[in-house]
Amino acid sequence: MQFEWTNPYPTRRTPVFARNIVSTSHPLAAQAGLRMLLKGGNAVDAIIATAAALTIVEPVSNGLGSDAFAIISDGKGGLHGLNSSGTAPAAWCPEYFLKKYGEAGNGIANQPQRGVDTVTIPGAVAAWSALHERFGKLPFADLFEPAIELARRGHAVAPMVAHKWANQVPLLKDLPGFAQTFMPEGRAPRVGERFVMADAARTFERIAQTHGRDYYEGEIAEAIVAFSRANGGAHTLDDFRQYRPEWVKPVSQSYAGHELHEIPPNGQGIAALVALGILKYHDVASLPCDSIESQHLQIEAMKLAFADTYRKVSDPRSMSVTPEQMLEPAYLESRARLINMDRATHFEFGRPPAGGTVYLTAADENGMMVSFIQSNYKGFGSGVVVPGWAISLQNRGVGFSMDPASPNVVAGGKRPFQTIIPAFLTKQGVPVMSFGVMGGDMQPQGHVQTVIRMLNYQQNPQAACDAPRWKVNRDFTLDLESTMPDSVVQGLLARGHRLHSVNDSYMDFGAGQFIWRLSDDGYVAASDSRRDGHAVGF
């Protein structure tokens, strides 16, 4: 790929070139991964160290009670997917929630958004262990040294993290364990203020000593379960003992001579594949990059993709269609014909043929590349924090439906619909780019927009990352970043798009990290200026 190396968009970042590289949303976390590479570790070692450090320096978005997904190129031609999303406690079912929270209407239970009854069994620690067992090079305990140092000695809170932290305190301050860990002065830390998380250092030491087993069958598991039960939760030690991450085969979609790979459902990555599959039947490259026509076409394809994704995606064991059926070429071509280039359309789901998040990526000089994402979902997740261990638990249970007719209906041992998705790009089987764009529903949309900018318009990864973004909301209204040209805004409105808002919050338009493999030597990385992080390498 011959990129255009000039960047037409306002930015604080430049591309970073190196043979060994880490890119993520916080500089101290990126440096943790770099330490492992300098120590002789590989990209998986770097990813685990970075992920652990992120739970300390960016605790709003992830923590020791997160879920995780990964796609790994092993440097030998293999591409491996890891689904380490949480499963529901055995006791969960619609009747459980109906009895505790009452009826929302039509016999469907109210669904809590925070608290212990939103917590599925956390998968991030299991992901770290599984990745290291299969691909790690350095001793497992070494990978947690930077996180333990950051937790015990403290660090100065970064600007974006402080902003997000302060926004969550009014919502979560009274939830079990939250204030004790995250309001040390009775408030959120201010920018540049030192934050110490000593209890997390103790937790990391136990994880390091037991290769993560203590989290699921030892003292840590016992503490999580006891705290859950004391606060009305249904979690049991059996729920934790029985949890296992799953190695999966990524699903893919060809586009512009490349293949985009995503983790298969229960995640929403298939939405990006469906959108690109629809766009294959339109000549995107013939339209100017930042034109009304190009943006309208991409938005409509994304709406079509979400119409199917929201209706059909759940734990694959309960889906009525397979990912392959959703990606069937004739079906996607029929969906592509529904796009009206002159008007916005509110699409319904089709009928295929029967049959708050952190993203990080690393690559090493031996060709190993890792695309990794972990998340507590909403800011600080459930808001429940296990005392003495500083484990902030995710609220991924919110991804279930309470409707018994939904394929995504809550059930014990089941994985809910997940928003977090790592991505990977190859060309004729050769690894090209590990990347992701964090931020709820923005993630597959960010994948589509940045891939199109790079493959159709030859924008370099940093420019594609910095470009103004749009976001399709669940009600099919549209958010536009304030840097979007006014001519495009007015043109979209004239086509009937319903504008919901124009702003620049980190959740609205996400934040991406990209590592592109150069044809001659090494990599080029980009890091999103919408967050505090950067790319580092040597």
Side-chain angles (χ1 to χ4, degrees), residues 191-508:
V191 175
E193 192 169 12
R194 182 167 170 255
F195 175 67
V196 175
M197 207 172 171
D199 286 344
R202 174 191 177 207
T203 307
F204 277 124
E205 287 169 345
R206 292 291 296 163
I207 291 169
Q209 291 163 7
T210 67
H211 212 277
R213 289 191 303 273
D214 195 77
Y215 193 98
Y216 296 95
E217 55 188 56
E219 188 178 0
I220 298 174
E222 291 170 356
I224 297 171
V225 169
F227 194 60
S228 168
R229 304 293 285 199
N231 289 281
H235 303 81
T236 68
L237 282 174
D238 279 345
D239 291 327
F240 276 77
R241 291 190 187 110
Q242 292 171 13
Y243 177 78
R244 297 289 186 277
E246 293 183 3
W247 289 102
V248 297
K249 181 181 179 180
V251 288
S252 64
Q253 173 66 59
S254 62
Y255 184 80
H258 294 70
E259 302 80 39
L260 176 64
H261 303 266
E262 303 273 358
I263 296 292
N266 56 316
Q268 65 171 340
I270 196 165
L273 304 183
V274 171
L276 285 181
I278 289 169
L279 289 169
K280 285 173 63 173
Y281 297 100
H282 293 269
D283 189 2
V284 180
S286 69
L287 304 171
C289 178
D290 290 304
S291 66
I292 299 164
E293 292 78 12
S294 179
Q295 302 306 308
H296 170 77
L297 179 58
Q298 293 173 55
I299 290 165
E300 293 296 279
M302 199 72 241
K303 287 161 63 177
L304 279 161
F306 274 144
D308 280 356
T309 300
Y310 292 148
R311 178 73 178 193
K312 302 179 187 303
V313 170
S314 64
D315 187 309
R317 293 169 295 181
S318 61
M319 286 177 60
S320 60
V321 296
T322 65
E324 291 75 18
Q325 288 167 336
M326 293 179 69
L327 296 172
E328 207 279 323
Y331 173 66
L332 295 181
E333 184 177 15
S334 71
R335 299 292 274 169
R337 288 197 295 268
L338 298 177
I339 295 176
N340 183 335
M341 287 300 294
D342 298 320
R343 296 294 300 171
T345 305
H346 187 93
F347 300 107
E348 299 294 333
F349 65 92
R351 297 187 181 276
T357 301
V358 291
Y359 176 80
L360 45 155
T361 180
D364 64 40
E365 60 188 349
N366 295 316
M368 180 177 282
M369 301 175 72
V370 185
S371 180
F372 187 91
I373 196 162
Q374 68 183 23
S375 171
N376 270 2
Y377 194 32
K378 298 185 178 180
F380 288 109
S382 67
V384 175
V385 186
V386 183
W389 300 94
I391 297 171
S392 59
L393 297 165
Q394 38 84 331
N395 62 335
R396 283 292 169 183
V398 173
F400 281 120
S401 170
M402 295 293 117
D403 184 353
S406 170
N408 194 40
V409 64
V410 63
K414 187 175 180 179
R415 286 181 161 90
F417 177 87
Q418 280 268 358
T419 58
I420 59 175
I421 49 171
F424 208 97
L425 197 69
T426 61
K427 184 174 184 179
Q428 297 177 347
V430 177
V432 171
M433 180 171 65
S434 53
F435 73 107
V437 180
M438 62 195 102
D441 296 341
M442 183 64 217
Q443 293 179 62
Q445 308 188 58
H447 292 187
V448 169
Q449 291 175 65
T450 52
V451 163
I452 285 174
R453 286 183 176 279
M454 285 183 248
L455 299 188
N456 285 137
Y457 299 118
Q458 290 72 56
Q459 291 190 337
N460 73 71
Q462 189 63 56
C465 186
D466 292 327
R469 295 178 184 150
W470 45 261
K471 186 185 79 168
V472 174
N473 298 305
R474 288 266 180 151
D475 60 359
F476 294 102
T477 58
L478 197 63
D479 290 349
L480 300 174
E481 203 161 13
S482 62
T483 50
M484 188 72 72
D486 187 63
S487 60
V488 175
V489 176
Q490 297 305 315
L492 292 172
L493 286 171
R495 280 169 168 77
H497 290 278
R498 293 180 296 136
L499 196 60
H500 178 258
S501 65
V502 181
N503 58 53
D504 292 298
S505 78
Y506 82 102
M507 275 302 293
D508 274 337

Side-chain angles (χ1 to χ4, degrees), residues 95-145:
E95 292 75 19
Y96 172 89
F97 289 92
L98 191 61
K99 183 177 180 180
K100 289 190 71 171
Y101 298 99
E103 184 181 326
N106 299 319
I108 297 174
N110 283 304
Q111 186 174 25
Q113 298 297 300
R114 306 279 188 165
V116 291
D117 281 330
T118 65
V119 182
T120 56
I121 307 306
V125 173
W128 304 342
S129 177
L131 285 169
H132 183 265
E133 183 177 351
R134 189 164 182 179
F135 298 108
K137 184 178 179 183
L138 295 175
F140 192 63
D142 290 8
L143 311 183
F144 299 95
E145 291 171 356

